[in-house]
Amino acid sequence: MEKERSQLKYRGERCLNCHHELDKSDKYCPACGQLNSTKKLAFDDFFNEFFAGILAYDSRFRRTMKALLFNPGKISKDYISGKRMRYANPFRFYLSASIIFFIIWGFLNSFELQPVPSNLNEEEIALAQETADSLDIPNPEIAGREFNLDSLIRTQQAKDRVSYEKIYQDWEALDSLSFIEASTNQFNIYSKYYKETEILSAQQALDSLRHPHSNYNHWIYKKATDWNILKSNPQLFLNYFINKLPFIIFFYLPVFAFFIWILYLRRPFNYMEHLIFTFHVQTTFFVIYGIALLADYLFESDLGITLATIIFIFYLFMAMRKFYGQSRVKTFVKFMLLNIIFFTLAVIAGIISIIASFAIY
């Protein structure tokens, strides 16, 4: 027990943690805050400290959840005003909430993506065309030009059947091209080579193709094999990408907070205060939608997500109005602008994240 360990007889004259000089009257070190005690750690001391830490966090957790859900904007306003010890750290709390949300979302939503067949035989192509003809579906027109579906399918199938030997280029030929053109040709050659040989080893493949063993060539061959594997089973990449989403959003939010800072440039808030507000709002999003997902699962309904969307829209408006202290009209205009900015940035961030995730997959 801390009470026993802090007794006068166990107090020292120097902090065991930071070596700051102490007086016998010092219960805690004024420099680092550690308990002034020379008593050796016993079994009950260890468990007492462990559960005391959990209960302390549990108290902050309850206060944080209550303020987040039932008093929009209050927690952010309190936090920037210096009332921080009563609440959980906004960044750590965000990571906890987001990871739990994506675990719930992944558990309740299983995607069974079926690969699109890329090697249709002549009979299947003929059957598809016959079905389309029987439905009297007109061929698509682009810029006034009609495209025949049958010819498009056949052209694509012909391209798929081309051997890597037909498009093969030795290293001298590739080296004479621009970087982008050479990389594109390499990717196509390696992709065709893998489809025909199913060789995963980049070293073996580059030896066979007589291409040098550079780190870049190894990386391109790996991406070519990954591309073929993911085309046949996109579930693999989807699961990988979803697992990274909490951290992708974590790095996206500071960018979004920068635009909030620009929008509220005349208000007396610095960038970090906007960032704290952004993380609190995003955490609330995960909490509300996590509860909605569980409710829909338990009651076999889709009403939870609909209600969560309505609640969150209202919550966001009220949080902005309370935190920034502006009129309803100004808050509504900025509410609409921020949503446009948010979704525009989300699309851009999503594209960049998908490309980056595939590059490091």
Side-chain angles (χ1 to χ4, degrees):
M1 291 183 183
E2 185 178 299
K3 189 174 181 180
E4 182 185 350
R5 295 189 66 221
S6 65
Q7 288 179 5
L8 194 63
K9 63 180 180 179
Y10 293 121
R11 292 182 189 174
E13 296 179 352
R14 188 177 293 274
C15 177
L16 299 177
N17 181 55
C18 68
H19 306 295
H20 183 79
E21 289 189 5
L22 301 173
D23 190 83
K24 285 284 186 180
S25 62
D26 292 327
K27 186 176 180 181
Y28 296 96
C29 172
C32 69
Q34 178 165 291
L35 180 71
N36 180 14
S37 177
T38 58
K39 182 179 182 292
K40 289 185 177 294
L41 192 66
F43 190 76
D44 59 338
D45 295 326
F46 175 78
F47 277 94
N48 181 65
E49 288 188 8
F50 175 74
F51 286 109
I54 290 178
L55 291 172
Y57 182 79
D58 181 62
S59 178
R60 291 197 301 272
F61 172 80
R62 283 187 283 106
R63 282 195 293 265
T64 302
M65 285 293 290
K66 183 180 177 181
L68 269 181
L69 294 177
F70 303 109
N71 205 335
K74 174 179 167 42
I75 186 171
S76 302
K77 209 168 183 64
D78 283 352
Y79 204 86
I80 67 170
S81 298
K83 302 172 184 176
R84 295 167 191 163
M85 287 303 294
R86 66 179 68 177
Y87 300 119
N89 180 281
F91 307 112
R92 278 184 290 184
F93 195 65
Y94 159 81
L95 281 175
S96 301
S98 62
I99 290 170
I100 292 171
F101 170 80
F102 282 108
I103 289 173
I104 293 171
W105 190 72
F107 176 75
L108 300 180
N109 296 276
S110 58
F111 293 96
E112 298 296 334
L113 300 179
Q114 299 299 324
V116 178
S118 58
N119 294 313
L120 300 175
N121 57 39
E122 296 295 327
E123 291 182 2
E124 289 171 325
I125 293 173
L127 179 61
Q129 185 62 44
E130 184 181 340
T131 304
D133 291 340
S134 67
L135 295 173
D136 196 25
I137 300 174
N139 287 321
E141 287 189 18
I142 301 177
R145 181 182 172 189
E146 184 176 297
F147 287 84
N148 186 275
L149 292 176
D150 183 48
S151 64
L152 288 173
I153 293 173
R154 288 177 185 277
T155 301
Q156 184 58 47
Q157 295 305 312
K159 287 181 181 178
D160 289 340
R161 286 194 291 269
V162 171
S163 170
Y164 79 91
E165 295 175 344
K166 296 288 185 182
I167 61 172
Y168 174 78
Q169 290 178 291
D170 60 26
W171 189 247
E172 285 187 11
L174 288 170
D175 202 34
S176 65
L177 301 174
S178 66
F179 176 77
I180 294 176
E181 189 176 0
S183 298
T184 303
N185 290 355
Q186 272 184 274
F187 186 87
N188 290 333
I189 293 166
Y190 295 166
S191 181
K192 294 283 186 186
Y193 180 84
Y194 171 75
K195 283 177 73 174
E196 291 178 35
T197 64
E198 296 187 350
I199 293 175
L200 281 170
S201 169
Q203 183 158 347
Q204 186 179 347
L206 293 173
D207 281 339
S208 176
L209 294 165
R210 299 186 300 280
H211 285 181
H213 288 280
S214 66
N215 290 334
Y216 182 70
N217 287 353
H218 276 256
W219 179 79
I220 285 200
Y221 188 80
K222 183 179 184 306
K223 293 303 106 184
T225 59
D226 288 343
W227 175 251
N228 281 280
I229 292 169
L230 295 177
K231 274 203 305 183
S232 62
N233 189 3
Q235 179 73 35
L236 292 173
F237 182 73
L238 182 63
N239 290 337
Y240 172 82
F241 185 70
I242 288 173
N243 288 335
K244 298 290 180 288
L245 272 178
F247 305 99
I248 291 170
I249 298 172
F250 183 86
F251 290 107
Y252 160 76
L253 290 179
V255 178
F256 179 58
F258 174 75
F259 285 89
I260 300 179
W261 175 70
I262 292 175
L263 197 61
Y264 285 97
L265 202 55
R266 294 184 179 182
R267 302 297 295 167
F269 297 97
N270 62 32
Y271 171 77
M272 280 304 299
E273 290 168 344
H274 292 296
L275 185 61
I276 287 167
F277 174 75
T278 304
F279 271 97
H280 279 147
V281 168
Q282 189 62 41
T283 302
T284 307
F285 172 89
F286 287 133
V287 172
I288 291 174
Y289 276 83
I291 294 170
L293 284 172
L294 289 173
D296 281 348
Y297 174 75
L298 292 173
F299 298 105
E300 298 181 352
S301 167
D302 294 326
L303 187 60
I305 292 297
T306 305
L307 286 174
T309 303
I310 296 169
I311 291 169
F312 183 73
I313 290 171
F314 177 75
Y315 176 94
L316 179 58
F317 177 82
M318 294 302 296
M320 288 176 62
R321 185 156 188 268
K322 182 164 188 175
F323 184 72
Y324 293 109
Q326 292 189 316
S327 66
R328 288 187 179 88
V329 175
K330 282 188 177 181
T331 302
F332 179 76
V333 171
K334 291 183 178 181
F335 171 84
M336 297 303 293
L337 285 173
L338 280 179
N339 276 282
I340 293 169
I341 292 169
F342 179 87
F343 287 110
T344 303
L345 290 174
V347 171
I348 296 170
I351 294 169
I352 294 172
S353 300
I354 289 171
I355 294 171
S357 297
F358 179 71
I360 63 175
Y361 178 76

